[in-house]
Amino acid sequence: MPGYFLNRQDEAHAVCAEVGASNLKVQMDFYHCQIVEGDLAMKLRQYIAGVGHIQIAGVPGRHEPDTGEINYPYLFGLMDELGYRGWVGCEYRPKGGTSAGLNWLREWLRNPAVSAHP
């Protein structure tokens, strides 16, 4: 976004490294990262140690994460594989209101096979 101090994962992680504080982490916004950089799985593998929070939304359109070009089941499995234990926040514009916009999560919780990773 124009006017933001940081726009890329490498910039944010470089600042954290420069500061050197163990309690300073990066919010990895998968929506923003996909738009600006792409290659989400490699970015997650590369930077997981410095990630303190992950934010999700569908690309394009910033709608529910079960729509668009990002394979969230794969990324959720990768987060598990890499040992990520932090929060995953949702920042998207639901197409049909808040309750309807959470249907993707209901399916995820109802069907453990959906959340299983290879």
Side-chain angles (χ1 to χ4, degrees), residues 19-49:
V19 171
S22 63
N23 64 337
L24 181 60
K25 301 283 184 178
V26 171
Q27 173 182 291
M28 186 174 219
D29 180 339
F30 281 156
Y31 173 85
H32 182 79
C33 190
Q34 176 67 6
I35 298 283
V36 174
E37 302 178 69
D39 207 2
L40 297 177
M42 289 305 296
K43 295 282 187 284
L44 186 60
R45 283 185 181 98
Q46 181 177 1
Y47 294 117
I48 190 68

Side-chain angles (χ1 to χ4, degrees), residues 8-9 21 32 57 63 71 85 90-91 104 107:
R8 300 175 51 86
Q9 288 297 305
H32 182 79
H63 295 295
N71 183 347
R85 297 292 174 253
C90 299
E91 184 185 24
W104 71 273
E107 182 61 30

Side-chain angles (χ1 to χ4, degrees), residues 96-111:
T98 301
S99 292
L102 293 172
N103 283 336
W104 71 273
L105 180 59
R106 288 184 186 102
E107 182 61 30
W108 186 269
L109 295 173
R110 222 182 355 251
N111 183 1

Side-chain angles (χ1 to χ4, degrees), residues 48-113:
I48 190 68
V51 172
H53 182 82
I54 293 175
Q55 190 168 287
I56 65 172
V59 175
R62 200 180 268 281
H63 295 295
E64 289 81 354
D66 64 342
T67 61
E69 63 192 46
I70 298 177
N71 183 347
Y72 278 109
Y74 174 78
L75 291 173
F76 292 157
L78 182 57
M79 285 186 266
D80 287 344
E81 180 184 315
L82 296 172
Y84 179 72
R85 297 292 174 253
W87 292 98
V88 176
C90 299
E91 184 185 24
Y92 59 86
R93 293 183 287 272
K95 290 182 185 178
T98 301
S99 292
L102 293 172
N103 283 336
W104 71 273
L105 180 59
R106 288 184 186 102
E107 182 61 30
W108 186 269
L109 295 173
R110 222 182 355 251
N111 183 1

